[in-house]
Amino acid sequence: MPPSHPAWPWPAFIAHRGGGRLAPENTLAAMRTGAAAGFGMVEFDVKLSGDGMPFLLHDDTVDRTSDGSGLASELDWRALGRMDFGGWHGPAFAGEPAPSLYAVARCTRAHRIHSNIEIKPATGHEAETGTAVAREAARLWAGADLPPLLSSFSEAALEAARAAAPELPRALLIEGPVPSDWRLRQQGLGCIGLNIDALHADEATVRDILGQGATLAVWTVDDPVRARELFDRGCHAVFTDALHHVRADAPGLFR
């Protein structure tokens, strides 16, 4: 089984962007899909609309995942509400709206699944986004069995999130190879650990991170054999898009 860690009370299997490849990313349909597939935790991206609404979107623009176009930071919430964020994935999801952080909190808590909120600020809005998302998350998850885990590639966003809601746990996302000063950066931000790319989760890197007492979650792991290898090395969680294959009840995943 995945190793335990006092700072990692969440499930070991996390559905990437809510529903992996089974549903349009960062939508309520995705959260329901992740829950229906048996996942106890979902990951999703949150940024701000042009008028300051925290909502779910990965990219700076809405072009890839909606029938609209433009920078999210220049679109108000009413304009975003007129867009279809599900039809690109298939007709079964046509008309799926972009959800607010409020709507996702209601959905995930109702389904009794936990959340990793990736703070995904538009360029130039790092501190503003970190502050707004952390404050809203603290309010929406008040009284939850477990708090949401906040994560971000943006250290400015994480710093702002810590100032706004210091009680919420945070993890530093690393893009590319893990830098030699990771421990200094992680501790400086008050993060419990790192979320790193599976391409750079080699044995020496994993040993270094875990040996210094940090939590370690790895993205995006779509091969059950690779997931088992990472857990055998001591990793605490994996993010996956392959919801039917990388999960706790997958045959042979755990020895």
Side-chain angles (χ1 to χ4, degrees):
M1 294 296 291
S4 62
H5 189 293
W8 188 274
W10 303 280
F13 295 85
I14 306 170
H16 187 227
R17 301 185 192 174
R21 288 191 290 268
L22 301 180
E25 65 185 62
N26 289 316
T27 61
L28 293 182
M31 306 306 142
R32 292 190 291 267
T33 297
F39 280 73
M41 189 169 185
V42 290
E43 179 268 354
F44 48 85
D45 307 289
V46 180
K47 55 175 17 82
L48 299 182
S49 65
D51 51 352
M53 174 66 77
F55 80 105
L56 273 61
L57 183 70
H58 178 274
D59 302 351
D60 275 355
T61 74
V62 300
D63 299 46
R64 180 176 63 86
T65 56
S66 83
D67 60 353
S69 63
L71 290 166
S73 59
E74 296 178 356
L75 295 165
D76 63 27
W77 184 235
R78 179 173 295 184
L80 289 161
R82 293 192 291 266
M83 298 176 187
D84 176 359
F85 282 83
W88 67 271
H89 194 276
F93 298 104
E96 190 72 25
S100 66
L101 183 57
Y102 169 83
V104 171
R106 291 289 297 269
C107 178
T108 54
R109 293 192 66 178
H111 283 88
R112 302 186 65 81
I113 54 177
H114 304 294
S115 296
N116 177 182
I117 304 172
E118 181 180 341
I119 304 171
K120 200 80 171 178
T123 303
H125 297 269
E126 290 81 7
E128 173 191 2
T129 306
T131 297
V133 172
R135 283 179 178 166
E136 187 74 343
R139 181 180 73 84
L140 294 171
W141 273 268
D145 292 340
L146 290 176
L149 174 65
L150 306 182
S151 63
S152 188
F153 292 104
S154 168
E155 296 186 27
L158 287 171
E159 187 61 65
R162 175 169 66 172
E167 72 277 17
L168 294 182
R170 298 168 304 280
L172 176 60
L173 271 160
I174 300 292
E175 186 167 16
V178 177
S180 60
D181 66 344
W182 70 266
R183 184 63 165 165
L184 181 65
R185 292 161 62 181
Q186 175 236 330
Q187 290 186 317
L189 291 164
C191 291
I192 62 171
L194 304 183
N195 295 357
I196 70 171
D197 188 340
L199 294 175
H200 302 287
D202 57 86
E203 186 173 2
T205 297
V206 169
R207 187 186 310 114
D208 180 37
I209 295 169
L210 296 177
Q212 298 197 53
T215 63
L216 180 58
V218 181
W219 51 272
T220 303
V221 182
D222 292 342
D223 178 0
V225 174
R226 176 64 165 146
R228 185 175 65 190
E229 176 185 75
L230 290 165
F231 286 130
D232 285 348
R233 289 177 178 174
C235 296
H236 301 108
V238 295
F239 301 84
T240 186
D241 282 321
L243 272 55
H244 288 338
H245 301 292
V246 181
R247 46 187 291 172
D249 58 356
L253 183 53
F254 295 121
R255 294 169 181 154

PDB file of all heavy atoms in Angstrom, residues 171-187:
ATOM      1  N   ALA A 171       1.471  22.803  -1.486  1.00  0.00           N
ATOM      2  CA  ALA A 171       2.559  22.029  -2.096  1.00  0.00           C
ATOM      3  C   ALA A 171       3.115  22.829  -3.261  1.00  0.00           C
ATOM      4  O   ALA A 171       2.369  23.503  -3.978  1.00  0.00           O
ATOM      5  CB  ALA A 171       2.064  20.674  -2.576  1.00  0.00           C
ATOM      6  N   LEU A 172       4.419  22.748  -3.442  1.00  0.00           N
ATOM      7  CA  LEU A 172       5.079  23.432  -4.550  1.00  0.00           C
ATOM      8  C   LEU A 172       5.116  22.512  -5.758  1.00  0.00           C
ATOM      9  O   LEU A 172       5.652  21.402  -5.694  1.00  0.00           O
ATOM     10  CB  LEU A 172       6.502  23.820  -4.145  1.00  0.00           C
ATOM     11  CG  LEU A 172       7.377  24.469  -5.227  1.00  0.00           C
ATOM     12  CD1 LEU A 172       6.763  25.773  -5.735  1.00  0.00           C
ATOM     13  CD2 LEU A 172       8.794  24.707  -4.696  1.00  0.00           C
ATOM     14  N   LEU A 173       4.537  22.957  -6.855  1.00  0.00           N
ATOM     15  CA  LEU A 173       4.597  22.227  -8.119  1.00  0.00           C
ATOM     16  C   LEU A 173       5.909  22.552  -8.820  1.00  0.00           C
ATOM     17  O   LEU A 173       6.314  23.719  -8.884  1.00  0.00           O
ATOM     18  CB  LEU A 173       3.426  22.635  -9.018  1.00  0.00           C
ATOM     19  CG  LEU A 173       2.140  21.828  -8.872  1.00  0.00           C
ATOM     20  CD1 LEU A 173       0.974  22.621  -9.432  1.00  0.00           C
ATOM     21  CD2 LEU A 173       2.264  20.503  -9.601  1.00  0.00           C
ATOM     22  N   ILE A 174       6.555  21.532  -9.341  1.00  0.00           N
ATOM     23  CA  ILE A 174       7.829  21.710 -10.035  1.00  0.00           C
ATOM     24  C   ILE A 174       7.663  21.286 -11.486  1.00  0.00           C
ATOM     25  O   ILE A 174       7.215  20.175 -11.779  1.00  0.00           O
ATOM     26  CB  ILE A 174       8.948  20.879  -9.389  1.00  0.00           C
ATOM     27  CG1 ILE A 174       9.164  21.293  -7.932  1.00  0.00           C
ATOM     28  CG2 ILE A 174      10.238  20.998 -10.187  1.00  0.00           C
ATOM     29  CD1 ILE A 174       9.732  22.680  -7.744  1.00  0.00           C
ATOM     30  N   GLU A 175       8.025  22.171 -12.396  1.00  0.00           N
ATOM     31  CA  GLU A 175       8.013  21.842 -13.820  1.00  0.00           C
ATOM     32  C   GLU A 175       9.431  21.511 -14.259  1.00  0.00           C
ATOM     33  O   GLU A 175      10.369  22.263 -13.994  1.00  0.00           O
ATOM     34  CB  GLU A 175       7.465  23.014 -14.633  1.00  0.00           C
ATOM     35  CG  GLU A 175       7.281  22.693 -16.105  1.00  0.00           C
ATOM     36  CD  GLU A 175       6.460  23.740 -16.841  1.00  0.00           C
ATOM     37  OE1 GLU A 175       6.280  24.840 -16.306  1.00  0.00           O
ATOM     38  OE2 GLU A 175       6.016  23.442 -17.962  1.00  0.00           O
ATOM     39  N   GLY A 176       9.601  20.377 -14.906  1.00  0.00           N
ATOM     40  CA  GLY A 176      10.935  19.988 -15.343  1.00  0.00           C
ATOM     41  C   GLY A 176      11.706  19.325 -14.214  1.00  0.00           C
ATOM     42  O   GLY A 176      11.144  18.924 -13.194  1.00  0.00           O
ATOM     43  N   PRO A 177      13.020  19.199 -14.373  1.00  0.00           N
ATOM     44  CA  PRO A 177      13.840  18.564 -13.342  1.00  0.00           C
ATOM     45  C   PRO A 177      13.725  19.285 -12.006  1.00  0.00           C
ATOM     46  O   PRO A 177      13.602  20.517 -11.957  1.00  0.00           O
ATOM     47  CB  PRO A 177      15.265  18.672 -13.911  1.00  0.00           C
ATOM     48  CG  PRO A 177      15.074  18.822 -15.385  1.00  0.00           C
ATOM     49  CD  PRO A 177      13.811  19.604 -15.559  1.00  0.00           C
ATOM     50  N   VAL A 178      13.776  18.536 -10.929  1.00  0.00           N
ATOM     51  CA  VAL A 178      13.695  19.128  -9.598  1.00  0.00           C
ATOM     52  C   VAL A 178      14.995  19.884  -9.320  1.00  0.00           C
ATOM     53  O   VAL A 178      16.080  19.300  -9.389  1.00  0.00           O
ATOM     54  CB  VAL A 178      13.453  18.037  -8.533  1.00  0.00           C
ATOM     55  CG1 VAL A 178      13.451  18.648  -7.137  1.00  0.00           C
ATOM     56  CG2 VAL A 178      12.128  17.320  -8.813  1.00  0.00           C
ATOM     57  N   PRO A 179      14.921  21.185  -9.000  1.00  0.00           N
ATOM     58  CA  PRO A 179      16.142  21.968  -8.801  1.00  0.00           C
ATOM     59  C   PRO A 179      16.847  21.595  -7.506  1.00  0.00           C
ATOM     60  O   PRO A 179      16.227  21.085  -6.562  1.00  0.00           O
ATOM     61  CB  PRO A 179      15.611  23.413  -8.742  1.00  0.00           C
ATOM     62  CG  PRO A 179      14.213  23.283  -8.264  1.00  0.00           C
ATOM     63  CD  PRO A 179      13.699  21.992  -8.849  1.00  0.00           C
ATOM     64  N   SER A 180      18.131  21.861  -7.469  1.00  0.00           N
ATOM     65  CA  SER A 180      18.930  21.488  -6.298  1.00  0.00           C
ATOM     66  C   SER A 180      18.515  22.245  -5.043  1.00  0.00           C
ATOM     67  O   SER A 180      18.740  21.773  -3.928  1.00  0.00           O
ATOM     68  CB  SER A 180      20.413  21.726  -6.583  1.00  0.00           C
ATOM     69  OG  SER A 180      20.650  23.097  -6.888  1.00  0.00           O
ATOM     70  N   ASP A 181      17.902  23.414  -5.208  1.00  0.00           N
ATOM     71  CA  ASP A 181      17.502  24.217  -4.048  1.00  0.00           C
ATOM     72  C   ASP A 181      16.040  24.005  -3.665  1.00  0.00           C
ATOM     73  O   ASP A 181      15.426  24.837  -3.010  1.00  0.00           O
ATOM     74  CB  ASP A 181      17.756  25.699  -4.304  1.00  0.00           C
ATOM     75  CG  ASP A 181      16.880  26.268  -5.417  1.00  0.00           C
ATOM     76  OD1 ASP A 181      16.300  25.476  -6.185  1.00  0.00           O
ATOM     77  OD2 ASP A 181      16.803  27.513  -5.528  1.00  0.00           O
ATOM     78  N   TRP A 182      15.472  22.864  -4.071  1.00  0.00           N
ATOM     79  CA  TRP A 182      14.046  22.628  -3.836  1.00  0.00           C
ATOM     80  C   TRP A 182      13.685  22.718  -2.373  1.00  0.00           C
ATOM     81  O   TRP A 182      12.630  23.253  -2.011  1.00  0.00           O
ATOM     82  CB  TRP A 182      13.617  21.269  -4.400  1.00  0.00           C
ATOM     83  CG  TRP A 182      14.160  20.087  -3.647  1.00  0.00           C
ATOM     84  CD1 TRP A 182      15.294  19.379  -3.935  1.00  0.00           C
ATOM     85  CD2 TRP A 182      13.595  19.489  -2.474  1.00  0.00           C
ATOM     86  NE1 TRP A 182      15.475  18.373  -3.008  1.00  0.00           N
ATOM     87  CE2 TRP A 182      14.446  18.417  -2.107  1.00  0.00           C
ATOM     88  CE3 TRP A 182      12.461  19.755  -1.699  1.00  0.00           C
ATOM     89  CZ2 TRP A 182      14.201  17.622  -0.980  1.00  0.00           C
ATOM     90  CZ3 TRP A 182      12.210  18.954  -0.579  1.00  0.00           C
ATOM     91  CH2 TRP A 182      13.073  17.906  -0.234  1.00  0.00           C
ATOM     92  N   ARG A 183      14.535  22.198  -1.486  1.00  0.00           N
ATOM     93  CA  ARG A 183      14.219  22.176  -0.059  1.00  0.00           C
ATOM     94  C   ARG A 183      14.139  23.599   0.498  1.00  0.00           C
ATOM     95  O   ARG A 183      13.234  23.923   1.285  1.00  0.00           O
ATOM     96  CB  ARG A 183      15.257  21.358   0.697  1.00  0.00           C
ATOM     97  CG  ARG A 183      14.985  21.180   2.181  1.00  0.00           C
ATOM     98  CD  ARG A 183      13.713  20.415   2.449  1.00  0.00           C
ATOM     99  NE  ARG A 183      13.638  19.954   3.832  1.00  0.00           N
ATOM    100  CZ  ARG A 183      12.532  19.508   4.408  1.00  0.00           C
ATOM    101  NH1 ARG A 183      11.398  19.478   3.726  1.00  0.00           N
ATOM    102  NH2 ARG A 183      12.552  19.077   5.661  1.00  0.00           N
ATOM    103  N   LEU A 184      15.062  24.442   0.080  1.00  0.00           N
ATOM    104  CA  LEU A 184      15.059  25.836   0.538  1.00  0.00           C
ATOM    105  C   LEU A 184      13.784  26.538   0.088  1.00  0.00           C
ATOM    106  O   LEU A 184      13.141  27.260   0.863  1.00  0.00           O
ATOM    107  CB  LEU A 184      16.293  26.557  -0.011  1.00  0.00           C
ATOM    108  CG  LEU A 184      16.474  28.020   0.395  1.00  0.00           C
ATOM    109  CD1 LEU A 184      16.707  28.124   1.900  1.00  0.00           C
ATOM    110  CD2 LEU A 184      17.659  28.631  -0.360  1.00  0.00           C
ATOM    111  N   ARG A 185      13.384  26.318  -1.147  1.00  0.00           N
ATOM    112  CA  ARG A 185      12.178  26.952  -1.687  1.00  0.00           C
ATOM    113  C   ARG A 185      10.930  26.401  -1.026  1.00  0.00           C
ATOM    114  O   ARG A 185      10.009  27.151  -0.670  1.00  0.00           O
ATOM    115  CB  ARG A 185      12.137  26.755  -3.199  1.00  0.00           C
ATOM    116  CG  ARG A 185      13.233  27.524  -3.923  1.00  0.00           C
ATOM    117  CD  ARG A 185      13.492  27.005  -5.320  1.00  0.00           C
ATOM    118  NE  ARG A 185      12.320  27.132  -6.183  1.00  0.00           N
ATOM    119  CZ  ARG A 185      12.303  26.729  -7.450  1.00  0.00           C
ATOM    120  NH1 ARG A 185      13.390  26.158  -7.979  1.00  0.00           N
ATOM    121  NH2 ARG A 185      11.226  26.885  -8.173  1.00  0.00           N
ATOM    122  N   GLN A 186      10.871  25.098  -0.857  1.00  0.00           N
ATOM    123  CA  GLN A 186       9.706  24.473  -0.227  1.00  0.00           C
ATOM    124  C   GLN A 186       9.519  24.968   1.207  1.00  0.00           C
ATOM    125  O   GLN A 186       8.421  25.370   1.611  1.00  0.00           O
ATOM    126  CB  GLN A 186       9.870  22.953  -0.243  1.00  0.00           C
ATOM    127  CG  GLN A 186       8.768  22.188   0.492  1.00  0.00           C
ATOM    128  CD  GLN A 186       9.331  21.275   1.568  1.00  0.00           C
ATOM    129  OE1 GLN A 186      10.453  20.765   1.458  1.00  0.00           O
ATOM    130  NE2 GLN A 186       8.560  21.072   2.626  1.00  0.00           N
ATOM    131  N   GLN A 187      10.587  24.966   1.979  1.00  0.00           N
ATOM    132  CA  GLN A 187      10.486  25.411   3.363  1.00  0.00           C
ATOM    133  C   GLN A 187      10.224  26.907   3.453  1.00  0.00           C
ATOM    134  O   GLN A 187       9.482  27.359   4.331  1.00  0.00           O
ATOM    135  CB  GLN A 187      11.762  25.038   4.124  1.00  0.00           C
ATOM    136  CG  GLN A 187      11.915  23.542   4.348  1.00  0.00           C
ATOM    137  CD  GLN A 187      13.103  23.211   5.220  1.00  0.00           C
ATOM    138  OE1 GLN A 187      14.199  23.778   5.066  1.00  0.00           O
ATOM    139  NE2 GLN A 187      12.924  22.290   6.147  1.00  0.00           N
TER     140      GLN A 187
END
